[in-house]
Amino acid sequence: MTLTTSTSPAPAASPGPDSARQLPSALRRLLHAREAGVFAALVLLFLLGTVLSPTFAQSDNLLSVGQQIAQIGIMAVGVTFVILNGEIDLSVGSTYALSAISTGMLISDGWSWPAAMLVGLAVGVLAGLVNGLAVVVLGVPSFIVTLGTLSVFRGVALLISDGAPISLSSSKPGVAEFNLLGQGRLFGVVPMQFVFFAAVAAVGVVLLARSRFGFNTYAVGGNQEAARLVGVNVKRVKLAAFVLSGFTAALAGVLGLSFLSYVQGVTGQGLELTVISAVIIGGAALFGGSGTMWGTVIGVAFIGLLQNILNIKGISSFWQTVVTGLVIVAAVAADTWQRRRKSRA
């Protein structure tokens, strides 16, 4: 539709399809975005929390939510790339534990915390590389590969620690500084873990929306064969996604160790389900090719606020698991309905 100027006053436009097309393009993109429904649900959830508890909307509580979702959010950024490729990574919880155990053991043995942290991150990258190579070289489905490495990485974490917990004493050199990564607050207000999450999410947004790698990720997830025919190195894209997933899981594990100064071989069990749930709730298609990093951030925030409301109201953790599961089913059902609707159009 073409807009023209006129010297006489134009009649008021009545609401309808024509007036909708006159909305600013940015607003139209927002209204038609896949994440719009999830964002609306997030706003409604926030309003519900405000009504149910007078302390919900207080800054201290919201900052606490930000700290609680940070580790899940960091992991979700990496998993988003895997899912957009049409793959899955069930091993991130075990990678989280293995990286934290490795870092904690080295610090306990007298290593400087930066060196120990680098080793922990390298462990995560190696774990992601193992998953990726098994998928792209051996051709094993990612569900089977990562279901296996979920147990393998967890077993290695238990083996190298003899199943004993690792506790970092603040009296050891460098431990107090290391703990600031997880326990500190930027300007004395914003939790450092949330700062890390915001930084990782920002990199993820740029990488997915503004880089060739992001474009190739959507191409591979949308139609792998078509992507290959136009020159996309499908194996390299998938391998990079698994490496990113391993790295973000390791970073979250190191921050978790820094926050608690404690880790054991069973740490992080079940985290993979929460992380994948956040990505799916955020609008990523389970079979790849569709979704955004902003959607993942919204999904992480949704889970964080939901759990916070349930905690404030004293709801049993068992019921929290039930509610989270129902939300996941609803998100996947909505995705399926939307896909069918588009296919009929």
Side-chain angles (χ1 to χ4, degrees), residues 116-203:
M117 181 175 175
L118 285 176
V119 171
L121 296 177
V123 166
V125 169
L126 180 60
L129 186 62
V130 168
N131 285 334
L133 288 175
V135 171
V136 304
V137 176
L138 300 180
V140 183
S142 58
F143 179 86
I144 301 301
V145 169
T146 57
L147 184 62
T149 54
L150 178 152
S151 297
V152 171
F153 299 157
R154 180 75 60 186
V156 172
L158 290 166
L159 282 170
I160 64 176
S161 63
D162 284 331
I166 295 173
S167 182
L168 300 180
S169 172
S170 57
S171 62
K172 283 184 172 290
V175 171
E177 291 80 3
F178 174 68
N179 287 345
L180 289 176
L181 297 177
Q183 301 173 14
R185 288 179 176 260
L186 184 64
F187 306 122
V189 178
V190 183
M192 282 302 299
Q193 288 195 82
F194 184 75
V195 174
F196 275 103
F197 170 40
V200 171
V203 172

Side-chain angles (χ1 to χ4, degrees), residues 3-272:
L3 298 178
T4 58
T5 58
S6 174
T7 55
S8 59
S14 58
D18 288 339
S19 60
R21 284 194 291 268
Q22 295 176 23
L23 291 172
S25 59
L27 181 58
R28 288 205 309 273
R29 285 197 299 270
L30 175 63
L31 291 176
H32 290 86
R34 183 183 182 83
E35 301 78 18
V38 183
F39 182 74
L42 178 67
V43 172
L44 290 175
L45 187 64
F46 183 86
L47 294 175
L48 176 63
T50 304
V51 170
L52 292 176
S53 172
T55 62
F56 174 78
Q58 292 180 358
S59 59
D60 287 346
N61 182 61
L62 295 180
L63 287 171
S64 176
V65 172
Q67 180 161 284
Q68 291 166 8
I69 67 174
Q71 293 173 35
I72 294 172
I74 290 170
M75 297 168 74
V77 170
V79 170
T80 298
F81 285 96
V82 175
I83 290 180
L84 289 180
N85 271 283
E87 305 292 347
I88 198 75
D89 189 351
L90 298 174
S91 69
V92 288
S94 298
T95 302
Y96 173 101
L98 180 57
S99 297
I101 286 280
S102 302
T103 304
M105 291 181 65
L106 292 176
I107 292 177
S108 296
D109 288 343
W111 284 47
S112 67
W113 70 263
M117 181 175 175
L118 285 176
V119 171
L121 296 177
V123 166
V125 169
L126 180 60
L129 186 62
V130 168
N131 285 334
L133 288 175
V135 171
V136 304
V137 176
L138 300 180
V140 183
S142 58
F143 179 86
I144 301 301
V145 169
T146 57
L147 184 62
T149 54
L150 178 152
S151 297
V152 171
F153 299 157
R154 180 75 60 186
V156 172
L158 290 166
L159 282 170
I160 64 176
S161 63
D162 284 331
I166 295 173
S167 182
L168 300 180
S169 172
S170 57
S171 62
K172 283 184 172 290
V175 171
E177 291 80 3
F178 174 68
N179 287 345
L180 289 176
L181 297 177
Q183 301 173 14
R185 288 179 176 260
L186 184 64
F187 306 122
V189 178
V190 183
M192 282 302 299
Q193 288 195 82
F194 184 75
V195 174
F196 275 103
F197 170 40
V200 171
V203 172
V205 168
V206 173
L207 195 58
L208 187 57
R210 302 293 181 184
S211 73
R212 179 177 295 276
F213 173 65
F215 174 81
N216 290 343
T217 295
Y218 283 117
V220 171
N223 190 319
Q224 181 173 308
E225 187 58 31
R228 182 181 290 108
L229 290 175
V230 297
V232 176
N233 190 324
V234 174
K235 291 184 177 181
R236 183 181 299 171
V237 171
K238 289 191 175 187
L239 186 61
F242 278 106
V243 169
L244 277 174
S245 182
F247 173 80
T248 53
L251 177 59
V254 171
L255 291 176
L257 172 65
S258 174
F259 178 65
L260 296 174
S261 292
Y262 176 90
V263 65
Q264 55 182 331
V266 296
T267 296
Q269 282 186 333
L271 270 181
E272 58 278 344

Side-chain angles (χ1 to χ4, degrees), residues 269-285:
Q269 282 186 333
L271 270 181
E272 58 278 344
L273 299 181
T274 305
V275 170
I276 293 170
S277 301
V279 178
I280 299 303
I281 289 172

